[in-house]
Amino acid sequence: MLPLFLLHFTSQRSRRQKRTVFNKHTIDMGAFSHLALIIVLLAISSSVVLSCLPSDRAALLAFKSALHEPYLGIFNTWTGSDCCRNWYGISCDPETHRVADINLRGESEDPIFQRAHRTGFMTGYISPAICGLTRLSSLTIADWKGITGEIPRCVTRLPFLRIIDLIGNQLSGEIPADIGSLHRLTVLNVADNNITGRIPGSLGNLSGLMHLDLRNNKISGPIPRNFGKLNMLSRALLSGNRLSGQIPGSIARIYRLADLDLSLNQLSGSIPASLGKMAVLATLNLDSNKLSGIVPASLFSSMISNLNLSKNSLAGGIPDVFGPRSYFTVLDLSYNNLKGPIPKSISEASYIGHLDLSHNHLCGRIPAGSPFDHLEASSFTYNDCLCGMPLRAC
């Protein structure tokens, strides 16, 4: 049995140890609570950053309210506070978490279309509220067939916009006059709508534009003279409109242009010979216009492999300049006022797949050999006095 003073000392020491342990525990708990508070605040902050801005969400909901899509239910996914997650057709920038892309196509291989066994149909209009998405990079609302109204003019104030694809709707009105202020724009596609008015002169300011598709609208007036300033353009599809005036010679300065389609318009004047000197131009469709004058010889010794000049008022003879560099998958000169013989040098072309010289005023013997040995009579009918295979003997 311990002496009384030792028992007292031990008791006192024990209490001090317990107090020390308790104090350490108190300190540890305080540090833990502080750390937990930081974690909670970071979590709250992170959740705020990772969600789309309320203003972006509000802009999308206002955009949605102007449209009606009755069959696929794509807007049923536009629920919840975070428009960056699982909202059909919406993508956000991974760093800023701002809405960057709207990609709504009425013709798609997406499972939502396969389940419905149909293409999309949507009515309504494109609300100007979309311009509240100030970081928008691409705007695709394509092939919905029933969307009407105009292109919101405020889209030209979206400085990050790279793609405008509104093909296959019923949009009317004009292309916004200050479209040229979108210096980042690489794609402008408003084909298959009811767009009217002229091609804005400011279009020439789009130095980065690569793809221009204005087909099948009601656009009138001339092609802007500064069209050749579109240095990066690879495709210019302007067919099926009411364009008038001459083909600007400045087009030949677009050294990347591979596909030029100006068919089914009301263009007049002569064909610029400089088009045949373009480095990569492979398709030139000028059919169904009011073009006159001679056919430039440069077109037959160029890089062009698909050449359609049919249904114009071209006169003179077919230039006798064909050679090994002449390679045509399609060569259509039908429905013009061409005279004289078929040039013998055409047999020197490395390849001619489809040739149509019908409905002209050509005369003389059809050359023998390739490519004439595989062509049908329809390629030569309705001329003044052509003879030889596959027509009547001379």
Side-chain angles (χ1 to χ4, degrees):
M1 185 172 180
L2 292 173
L4 183 59
F5 74 93
L6 287 175
L7 285 171
H8 177 73
F9 176 79
T10 303
S11 176
Q12 288 288 94
R13 183 179 180 184
S14 177
R15 281 197 293 272
R16 284 198 300 271
Q17 287 177 336
K18 289 179 180 179
R19 190 181 302 116
T20 302
V21 171
F22 177 76
N23 287 341
K24 286 182 179 179
H25 179 68
T26 303
I27 292 171
D28 291 344
M29 287 299 293
F32 176 78
S33 299
H34 183 66
L35 181 61
L37 179 61
I38 292 174
I39 292 173
V40 170
L41 290 174
L42 285 173
I44 294 172
S45 174
S46 176
S47 67
V48 171
V49 171
L50 292 177
S51 298
C52 70
L53 285 186
S55 59
D56 280 6
R57 181 178 181 274
L60 286 174
L61 292 177
F63 163 73
K64 168 190 169 183
S65 68
L67 298 168
H68 178 60
E69 190 282 296
Y71 301 112
L72 303 174
I74 63 172
F75 289 133
N76 294 340
T77 64
W78 288 27
T79 59
S81 60
D82 188 1
C83 58
C84 291
R85 294 186 61 188
N86 301 323
W87 282 37
Y88 185 90
I90 303 300
S91 301
C92 295
D93 185 280
E95 295 181 0
T96 64
H97 301 282
R98 298 292 306 278
V99 173
D101 304 299
I102 296 177
N103 186 12
L104 299 175
R105 294 189 178 277
E107 296 180 3
S108 171
E109 295 182 359
D110 191 277
I112 197 170
F113 291 84
Q114 294 178 358
R115 288 193 296 269
H117 302 291
R118 60 166 298 137
T119 58
F121 180 78
M122 192 184 295
T123 57
Y125 63 96
I126 301 174
S127 170
I130 206 168
C131 301
L133 303 170
T134 55
R135 300 288 298 193
L136 196 63
S137 175
S138 66
L139 174 61
T140 299
I141 307 169
D143 297 312
W144 291 104
K145 307 172 186 67
I147 296 178
T148 57
E150 298 187 0
I151 301 170
R153 298 186 183 278
C154 59
V155 298
T156 61
R157 298 198 298 269
L158 297 175
F160 297 94
L161 207 54
R162 295 182 302 105
I163 296 173
I164 297 177
D165 187 353
L166 306 175
I167 186 175
N169 293 293
Q170 293 294 327
L171 298 175
S172 57
E174 301 182 6
I175 298 171
D178 53 348
I179 192 75
S181 63
L182 294 175
H183 298 299
R184 287 182 170 88
L185 201 66
T186 60
V187 174
L188 177 58
N189 186 352
V190 296
D192 300 325
N193 280 285
N194 293 315
I195 303 294
T196 56
R198 298 190 171 202
I199 299 174
S202 71
L203 189 80
N205 297 330
L206 299 176
S207 58
L209 194 67
M210 299 179 184
H211 180 95
L212 176 64
D213 194 346
L214 309 180
R215 290 175 297 171
N216 302 324
N217 280 287
K218 299 174 183 177
I219 300 171
S220 58
I223 300 172
R225 290 186 177 181
N226 63 355
F227 200 83
K229 292 174 62 179
L230 301 173
N231 295 325
M232 300 298 290
L233 199 63
S234 62
R235 301 189 77 197
L237 311 178
L238 282 67
S239 64
N241 281 286
R242 300 170 182 175
L243 298 174
S244 57
Q246 297 188 345
I247 300 172
S250 67
I251 290 179
R253 296 201 297 266
I254 309 175
Y255 60 90
R256 294 175 181 264
L257 192 62
D259 189 350
L260 177 61
D261 190 350
L262 303 178
S263 62
L264 296 163
N265 278 290
Q266 300 170 18
L267 298 170
S268 58
S270 59
I271 300 172
S274 55
L275 296 181
K277 300 176 182 179
M278 297 179 68
V280 296
L281 187 64
T283 297
L284 178 60
N285 289 335
L286 303 178
D287 56 291
S288 303
N289 277 286
K290 299 178 180 179
L291 298 171
S292 57
I294 63 171
V295 180
S298 60
L299 300 182
F300 300 114
S301 56
S302 65
M303 297 300 294
I304 299 172
S305 59
N306 186 333
L307 179 62
N308 192 342
L309 306 180
S310 66
K311 298 179 182 177
N312 280 287
S313 299
L314 300 171
I318 301 174
D320 194 4
V321 294
F322 291 84
R325 289 188 59 190
S326 304
Y327 183 100
F328 292 98
T329 55
V330 173
L331 176 56
D332 194 343
L333 304 177
S334 62
Y335 291 92
N336 277 289
N337 295 319
L338 300 175
K339 298 180 180 180
I342 297 174
K344 292 182 179 181
S345 65
I346 203 168
S347 299
E348 299 176 18
S350 60
Y351 177 78
I352 296 181
H354 173 78
L355 176 67
D356 193 346
L357 303 177
S358 65
H359 296 271
N360 278 287
H361 300 288
L362 300 174
C363 195
R365 182 185 295 273
I366 298 172
S370 179
F372 303 99
D373 52 7
H374 71 266
L375 296 174
E376 298 182 358
S378 58
S379 296
F380 307 100
T381 54
Y382 297 100
N383 276 286
D384 287 359
C385 50
L386 283 180
C387 61
M389 292 294 294
L391 299 179
R392 61 181 175 82
C394 293

